[in-house]
């Protein structure tokens, strides 16, 4: 054995049981395309950093830069028309029903697009090529850095989207005095002008009209500079810096948007005020403030998994090699990247993360970059509670509050119903009508699903004041199902009609149906949430009874002839269908209606459904399936899905050459094209593999794959207000530390016996009402179905009666 063989072998042996704390995405060349650039964001302003040498592009977003203006796209439906459509569906003429829906429900307005501000361009007069180069995104600090050497001088650009100053700041430094020269200019695809105002470079733009809705958003972006040791000039279209030693650029952007029905703001005053306030601080103070704010959220959770490969490779290379290296530490990096993206795209006071989070480089984003609320927006927020980022949910809560207003007329005028409704899309104007045609859009459950996030937040925080605050939204969502559902003439169950199982029909037939399984599951959750909230808040008994009555009339889940969970009321599933949506698996995740212990037949049925549908899918679908297999307590299969998602797609232009590519070089999820929900689904899935709390207990390491034989995690959150840290070795938990934030009974579930102070063997039902146990009707199982009994590992359950603020340590026996 020669030396060249020994060194890699020694590296492999040393790395086998070590961890990587690396939290950097880094690259050894500038980005050539947007999907290689690195994102920064403060929940309002976003930027994509290309890291060029002679030519740097910093593409900009501001989260209220949307096309159109206040509007709503619901259409009043004659009750007789709705009755005719329902009768056509009930009699099986779904094609005619679909045609009528397209004729009477559509307005021609499919939602307004999220648009880009444009870009800041920085051009430098370098003649020689750099002798070294590195660009990186430090997830631990939310700082993007580009560094290179030319002619013996080290140049560095640091970019932050400041959480504390609410602007983008670019710091340019050099190792040799008076070495920095460049010119900066704006570019934008919006109708725009560039000029000078009060010694600053100003980009003014106007968002576009769309589908007959006039574009009324005005945007202003302002650039100013602090120059040490050099000269600054301004022309009508550019800022020129010569022979400087240190430079700080400040970028501020704002619009006239106030809220979904008010665009009376002054974009000029807002952008200038933000800029002037930010420039009062020097960069060293600004970056410290920014990092401190960010770390208070990001630093709550750490995850260490085994490092089994060389991590000293550029991130795109690590991604390309992942399925060869099978390095768990890379999973840790992508997990934390998802948390970084959620913090960066969703902060209190801002807009909710949309289909692309915060980042979009054009005026025609895929699917308009809207809020797709038949899973994608919900998936964006799956990691918010479990990975200890509850602040990021505030924009989502506001979105639900807004559509509980705009969706009230839609419910009344379209369905003759009380409460509020939204279909499968909304936008910054909180439109709630149907879009895209019956095949995709005839789905009146978007508001209902979104409302379940409000209830889940209560299960994590136990705050009755918060519950009172969001009760109108919980009740309004339930009121829609109380008044819009109709009795199925064949089965006698109360069903939604018309609707679809997103975005899928049986055997290629029309997707328009009555009472599909996902609708029934969402209706069950919405009504159950309102029932529990009403009981806690002591609402009128008459209303409580109405919720209970409706729950008894919902359709049960059914197991079909192939042993599958039926997607529709009829046993129409095709076991060879590989459709990306597995909508009826909602009952397993994110809901908790299906459980290994409480509903074993449904547990096996949904597993059969997932096996029949297969693993390969679009990026967001794979992200969902990671969570589903975690809920099925199969860590190895969940890890198989992780490997599916961590497969490089160098660019959309070569998608045919990379048919399994699901992640771009900058680790953005590829549908393809880019959708950020896959990143958030991935992060939520990792958390779900490590900790679950939906089934009456805090289950530690419920779905640990073999490859994660040892590791530790800190800061994950469980329902009941518990913050959990764990260490494990040889695939078994060794130590558990739990901080109780609100007190109450802690029930721990483990695959190994535990010991610890105040630990008692659990008996009976958990007295803590914050564990998410829901029970529906007994399932209907086809006589042809072949179902196995779930093969589960033995578990041990213990109780600790906790006090708020106290910490508890438990160990494996």
């Amino acid at each position: 054995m020669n030396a060249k063989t020994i060194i890699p072998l020694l590296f492999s042996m040393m790395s086998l049981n070590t961890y990587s704390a690396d939290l950097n995405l880094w690259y050894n060349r500038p980005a050539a395309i947007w999907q290689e650039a690195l994102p920064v964001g403060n929940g309002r302003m976003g930027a994509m950093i290309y890291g060029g040498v002679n030519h740097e592009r910093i593409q900009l977003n501001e989260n209220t830069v949307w096309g159109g203006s206040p509007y709503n796209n619901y259409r009043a439906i004659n009750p007789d028309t709705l009755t005719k459509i329902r009768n056509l569906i009930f009699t099986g003429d779904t094609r005619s029903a679909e045609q009528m829906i397209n004729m009477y429900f559509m307005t021609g307005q499919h939602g307004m697009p999220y648009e880009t501000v444009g870009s800041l361009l920085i051009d430098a007069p370098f003649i020689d090529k750099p002798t070294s180069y590195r660009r990186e995104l430090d997830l631990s600090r939310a700082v993007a850095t580009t560094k290179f050497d030319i002619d013996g001088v080290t140049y560095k650009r640091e970019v932050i989207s400041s959480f504390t100053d609410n602007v983008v700041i670019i710091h340019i430094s050099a190792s040799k005095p008076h070495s920095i020269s460049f010119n900066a200019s704006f570019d934008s695809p919006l109708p725009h002008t560039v000029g000078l105002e009060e010694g600053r470079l100003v980009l003014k733009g106007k968002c576009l009209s769309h589908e007959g809705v006039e574009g009324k958003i005005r945007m202003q972006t302002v650039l100013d500079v602090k120059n040490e040791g050099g000269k600054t000039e301004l022309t009508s279209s550019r800022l020129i810096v010569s022979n400087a030693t240190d430079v700080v650029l400040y970028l501020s952007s704002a619009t006239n948007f106030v809220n979904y029905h008010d665009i009376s703001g002054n974009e000029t005053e807002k952008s200038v005020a933000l800029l002037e306030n930010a420039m009062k601080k020097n960069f060293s103070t600004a970056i410290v403030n920014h990092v401190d704010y960010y770390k208070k959220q990001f630093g709550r959770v750490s995850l260490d998994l085994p490092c089994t490969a060389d991590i000293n490779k550029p991130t795109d290379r690590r991604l390309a090699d992942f399925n060869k290296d099978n390095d768990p530490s890379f999973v840790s990096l992508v997990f934390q990247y998802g948390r970084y993206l959620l913090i960066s795209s969703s902060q209190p006071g801002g807009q909710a993360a949309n289909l692309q989070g915060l980042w979009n480089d054009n005026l025609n984003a895929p699917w308009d970059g809207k809020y797709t609320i038949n899973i994608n927006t919900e998936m964006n927020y799956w990691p918010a509670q479990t990975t200890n980022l509850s602040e990021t949910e505030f924009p989502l809560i506001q979105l639900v509050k807004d559509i509980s207003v705009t969706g009230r007329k839609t419910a009344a005028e379209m369905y003759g119903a009380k409460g509020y409704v939204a279909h499968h899309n909304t936008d910054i104007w909180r439109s709630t009508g149907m879009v895209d045609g019956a095949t995709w859009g005839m789905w009146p459950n978007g508001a209902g699903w979104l409302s379940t996030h409000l209830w889940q937040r209560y299960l994590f925080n136990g705050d009755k004041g918060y519950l009172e605050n969001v009760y109108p939204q919980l009740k309004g969502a339930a009121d829609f199902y109380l008044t819009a559902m109709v009795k199925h003439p064949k089965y006698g169950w109360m069903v939604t009609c018309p609707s679809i199982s997103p975005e899928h029909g049986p055997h290629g037939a029309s997707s328009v149906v009555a009472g599909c399984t996902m609708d029934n599951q969402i209706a069950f959750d919405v009504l159950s949430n309102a029932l529990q909230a009403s009981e806690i808040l002591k609402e009128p008994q008459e209303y409580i009874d109405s919720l209970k009555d409706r729950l008894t009339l919902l359709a049960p889940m059914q197991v079909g002839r192939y042993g599958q969970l039926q997607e529709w009321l009829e046993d129409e599933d095709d076991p060879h269908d590989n459709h990306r949506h597995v909508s009826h698996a909602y009952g397993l995740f994110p809901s908790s209606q299906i459980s290994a212990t409480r509903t074993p037949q449904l547990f096996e049925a949904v597993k059969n459904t997932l096996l029949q549908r297969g693993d390969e899918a679009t990026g967001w679908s794979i992200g969902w399936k990671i969570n589903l297999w975690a809920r099925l307590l199969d860590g190895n299969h969940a890890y198989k899905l992780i490997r599916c998602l961590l497969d490089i797609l160098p660019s959309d232009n070569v998608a045919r050459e990379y048919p399994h590519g699901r992640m771009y070089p900058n680790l953005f999820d590829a549908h393809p094209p880019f959708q950020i929900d896959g990143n958030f689904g991935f992060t939520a899935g990792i958390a779900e593999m490590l900790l679950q709390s939906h089934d009456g207990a805090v289950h530690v390491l419920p779905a640990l794959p073999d490859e994660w034989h040892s590791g530790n995690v800190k800061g994950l959150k469980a329902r009941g207000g518990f913050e959990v840290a764990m260490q494990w070795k040889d695939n078994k938990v060794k130590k558990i530390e739990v901080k109780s934030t609100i007190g109450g009974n802690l029930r721990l579930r483990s695959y190994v016996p535990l010991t610890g102070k105040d630990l008692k063997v659990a008996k009976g039902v958990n007295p803590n009402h914050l564990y998410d146990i829901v029970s529906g009707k007994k399932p209907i199982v086809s006589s042809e179905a072949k179902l196995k009994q779930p093969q589960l590992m033995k578990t041990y359950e213990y109780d600790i009666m906790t006090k708020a603020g106290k910490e508890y340590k438990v160990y494996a026996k």
Side-chain angles (χ1 to χ4, degrees):
M1 189 179 292
N2 60 35
K4 289 183 179 180
T5 305
I6 292 172
I7 291 172
L9 180 61
L10 287 173
F11 171 79
S12 178
M13 292 172 63
M14 287 187 296
S15 299
L16 193 59
N17 290 301
T18 59
Y19 304 106
S20 167
D22 176 49
L23 287 174
N24 287 314
L25 280 65
W26 72 274
Y27 305 81
N28 56 13
R29 58 180 178 81
I33 59 174
W34 190 81
Q35 292 85 352
E36 294 177 344
L38 293 172
V40 297
N42 60 19
R44 190 185 70 85
M45 280 194 74
M48 295 289 286
I49 317 304
Y50 282 67
V53 177
N54 291 77
H55 179 74
E56 167 67 306
R57 176 180 293 272
I58 298 177
Q59 184 264 317
L60 301 169
N61 288 104
E62 200 275 351
N63 68 0
T64 62
V65 175
W66 286 71
S69 52
Y71 80 109
N72 204 334
N73 62 344
Y74 71 86
R75 184 172 173 183
I77 307 299
N78 186 302
D80 291 340
T81 300
L82 185 61
T83 298
K84 288 178 184 178
I85 290 170
R86 285 170 169 165
N87 287 337
L88 286 170
I89 293 170
F90 288 141
T91 58
D93 191 357
T94 54
R95 287 293 182 195
S96 296
E98 184 175 293
Q99 290 172 2
M100 285 192 70
I101 290 166
N102 286 332
M103 182 181 298
Y104 291 105
F105 278 52
M106 302 294 291
T107 64
Q109 293 157 350
H110 301 277
M112 299 299 109
Y114 180 54
E115 299 175 341
T116 179
V117 167
S119 297
L120 175 71
L121 308 177
I122 301 174
D123 292 292
F126 297 118
I127 297 174
D128 295 332
K129 294 182 178 179
T131 54
S132 67
Y133 178 91
R134 179 184 173 106
R135 65 184 174 98
E136 69 177 31
L137 175 63
D138 184 350
L139 301 184
S140 68
R141 300 171 62 242
V143 180
T145 303
T146 303
K147 192 174 181 179
F148 51 87
D149 292 337
I150 294 181
D151 292 333
V153 180
T154 300
Y155 296 89
K156 184 165 73 169
R157 287 195 298 266
E158 299 167 279
V159 183
I160 61 173
S161 183
S162 172
F163 289 96
T164 45
D165 291 315
N166 220 350
V167 298
V168 171
I169 306 176
I170 305 150
H171 177 224
I172 305 172
S173 60
S175 62
K176 182 180 177 181
H178 308 295
S179 299
I180 302 170
S181 296
F182 64 88
N183 63 69
S185 59
F186 284 121
D187 183 27
S188 177
L190 291 171
H192 71 277
T193 61
V194 178
L196 293 180
E197 292 185 12
E198 299 182 9
R200 304 181 181 110
L201 198 63
V202 177
L203 169 69
K204 293 179 182 287
K206 187 174 184 293
C207 294
L208 300 182
S209 300
H210 188 70
E211 297 175 338
V213 180
E214 184 181 353
K216 294 184 179 180
I217 288 290
R218 302 185 305 273
M219 174 276 301
Q220 175 164 298
T221 300
V222 188
L223 175 68
D224 208 339
V225 63
K226 287 183 179 179
N227 178 348
E228 181 182 319
K231 181 181 177 183
T232 299
E233 299 176 68
L234 282 165
T235 71
S236 60
S237 61
R238 64 189 60 232
L239 180 152
I240 303 168
V241 172
S242 306
N243 304 318
T245 299
D246 193 270
V247 175
V248 184
L249 297 172
Y250 296 83
L251 273 168
S252 172
S253 191
T255 74
N256 58 317
F257 180 90
V258 178
N259 56 48
Y260 71 91
H261 57 83
D262 184 352
I263 51 173
S264 65
N266 188 314
E267 69 280 6
T268 299
E269 290 180 359
K270 287 196 287 185
S271 60
V272 170
L274 286 167
L275 186 80
E276 291 179 345
N277 183 66
M279 293 188 71
K280 293 175 183 177
K281 306 181 186 75
N282 57 35
F283 181 73
S284 60
T285 300
I287 195 170
V288 167
N289 293 345
H290 161 80
V291 172
D292 285 349
Y293 178 100
Y294 168 75
K295 280 189 171 182
K296 286 177 182 176
Q297 293 180 41
F298 183 82
R300 293 171 189 156
V301 172
S302 64
L303 172 62
D304 292 313
L305 295 175
C307 180
T308 60
D310 180 9
I311 66 168
N312 296 310
K313 294 187 288 188
T315 301
D316 53 343
R317 192 71 255 153
R318 288 185 74 186
L319 174 60
D321 292 345
F322 178 75
N323 278 291
K324 177 185 70 177
D325 293 343
N326 192 19
D327 178 18
S329 71
F330 188 64
V331 176
S332 303
L333 177 66
V334 184
F335 165 82
Q336 292 285 29
Y337 187 52
R339 296 182 69 244
Y340 166 83
L341 292 173
L342 185 53
I343 296 168
S344 301
S345 60
S346 187
Q347 286 292 303
Q351 297 298 310
N354 61 48
L355 199 60
Q356 297 197 233
L358 181 60
W359 302 277
N360 166 43
D361 66 331
N362 57 58
L363 299 183
N364 298 294
W367 303 281
D368 295 327
K370 300 189 296 282
Y371 299 102
T372 304
I373 55 178
N374 67 2
I375 184 171
N376 310 94
T377 301
E378 292 87 350
M379 185 182 287
N380 284 359
Y381 287 91
W382 286 350
Q385 289 295 333
T386 55
T387 73
N388 217 334
L389 298 174
S390 64
E391 298 95 329
T392 64
E393 277 191 325
F394 285 119
L396 182 71
I397 294 169
Q398 187 59 52
L399 186 153
V400 179
K401 288 184 175 183
D402 291 346
I403 64 172
S404 75
V405 177
T406 61
R408 203 162 279 276
K409 278 192 175 182
T410 308
E413 297 288 341
M414 291 186 74
Y415 299 99
K418 296 180 180 179
Y420 64 99
V421 67
H423 293 74
H424 92 295
N425 263 210
T426 190
D427 54 26
I428 198 170
W429 311 112
R430 308 316 190 221
S431 61
T432 53
M434 197 189 100
V435 306
D436 295 343
T439 301
W440 301 276
M442 187 58 261
W443 192 73
N445 301 285
W449 189 348
L450 285 173
S451 78
T452 67
H453 283 252
L454 307 187
W455 172 252
Q456 288 296 316
R457 183 180 178 88
Y458 170 71
L459 297 179
F460 280 89
N461 67 29
D463 182 348
K464 288 186 181 179
Y466 157 77
L467 187 61
E468 289 176 351
N469 181 268
V470 299
Y471 180 74
Q473 283 69 48
L474 297 175
K475 182 180 185 299
D479 287 346
F480 175 76
Y481 289 101
L482 286 174
T483 55
M485 299 181 90
V486 293
K487 188 174 182 178
H488 196 293
K490 179 179 179 180
Y491 302 106
W493 298 317
M494 297 298 290
V495 297
T496 50
C497 183
S499 188
I500 61 171
S501 184
E503 300 169 1
H504 190 210
H507 304 294
S510 169
S511 59
V512 176
V513 295
C516 64
T517 298
M518 187 190 210
D519 284 29
N520 301 330
Q521 292 167 336
I522 291 175
F524 181 87
D525 273 355
V526 170
L527 294 165
S528 296
N529 297 347
L531 172 60
Q532 294 175 78
S534 296
E535 291 176 332
I536 292 167
L537 299 175
K538 301 187 184 325
E539 294 296 316
Q541 189 62 43
E542 182 181 5
Y543 183 67
I544 291 172
D545 290 342
S546 71
L547 294 166
K548 289 179 178 179
D549 290 344
R550 178 51 51 88
L551 284 165
T552 66
L553 296 174
L554 297 181
M557 284 181 271
Q558 302 179 80
V559 180
R561 63 187 182 276
Y562 300 114
Q564 88 285 6
L565 179 66
Q566 285 184 199
E567 186 165 0
W568 300 278
L569 291 181
E570 293 75 24
D571 192 355
E572 297 282 356
D573 299 271
D574 179 354
H576 305 294
D577 184 356
N578 301 127
H579 196 271
R580 65 194 179 277
H581 277 265
V582 196
S583 301
H584 46 315
Y586 167 95
L588 176 67
F589 182 92
S591 183
S592 58
Q593 296 171 41
I594 298 174
S595 157
T597 55
R598 290 181 286 106
T599 60
Q601 291 174 313
L602 293 173
F603 186 84
E604 281 300 303
V606 74
K607 179 187 290 186
N608 289 337
T609 288
L610 290 174
L611 290 171
Q612 290 163 13
R613 286 289 171 92
D615 294 332
E616 286 291 344
T618 51
W620 67 262
S621 179
I622 295 172
W624 190 1
K625 290 176 181 178
I626 294 170
N627 289 272
L628 291 168
W629 281 102
R631 283 283 175 95
L632 289 171
L633 307 177
D634 190 336
N636 287 329
H637 202 124
Y639 193 61
K640 182 182 177 184
L641 270 299
I642 287 170
R643 297 185 71 167
C644 286
L645 196 58
L646 297 184
D647 201 332
I648 195 167
L649 176 62
S651 75
D652 289 337
N653 292 334
V654 295
R656 289 188 179 182
E657 299 168 42
Y658 293 81
H660 303 295
R662 291 295 177 262
M663 191 160 279
Y664 295 111
N666 65 0
L667 304 188
F668 272 174
D669 165 61
H671 180 286
F674 167 52
Q675 286 185 193
I676 204 165
D677 39 38
N679 290 98
F680 296 138
F682 178 96
T683 294
I686 303 307
E688 206 69 23
M689 293 166 74
L690 297 172
L691 191 74
Q692 294 179 19
S693 60
H694 63 284
D695 193 26
V698 176
H699 193 169
V700 297
L701 304 183
L704 194 70
D706 293 341
E707 285 87 348
W708 300 356
H709 49 78
S710 59
N712 63 79
V713 65
K714 297 178 182 178
L716 295 181
K717 291 295 290 292
R719 292 167 183 84
F722 300 109
E723 188 172 301
V724 182
M726 295 174 286
Q727 296 177 10
W728 66 93
K729 188 177 181 182
D730 300 326
N731 294 92
K732 295 179 180 179
V733 70
K734 297 298 179 183
K735 181 181 179 182
I736 306 165
E737 297 179 88
V738 180
K739 180 179 179 180
S740 177
T741 61
I742 59 175
N745 189 63
L746 165 66
R747 179 160 291 183
L748 284 172
R749 182 179 296 156
S750 167
Y751 292 129
V752 300
L754 303 174
T755 184
K757 185 181 179 183
D758 301 321
L759 197 68
K760 297 178 181 179
V761 174
K763 294 181 181 179
V765 176
N766 189 343
N768 192 330
H769 77 284
L770 295 175
Y771 290 99
D772 193 19
I773 295 180
V774 291
S775 298
K777 287 185 176 180
K778 185 178 179 180
I780 295 176
V781 181
S782 169
S783 59
E784 301 174 61
K786 294 181 180 179
L787 290 173
K788 300 176 182 178
Q789 194 66 20
Q791 301 297 306
L792 305 174
M793 292 176 63
K794 181 180 179 180
T795 58
Y796 303 83
E797 291 191 1
Y798 305 89
D799 284 347
I800 302 175
M801 185 54 67
T802 69
K803 294 182 179 180
K806 297 289 186 180
E807 296 185 6
Y808 301 85
K809 295 182 180 180
V810 178
Y811 303 88
K813 281 188 177 177

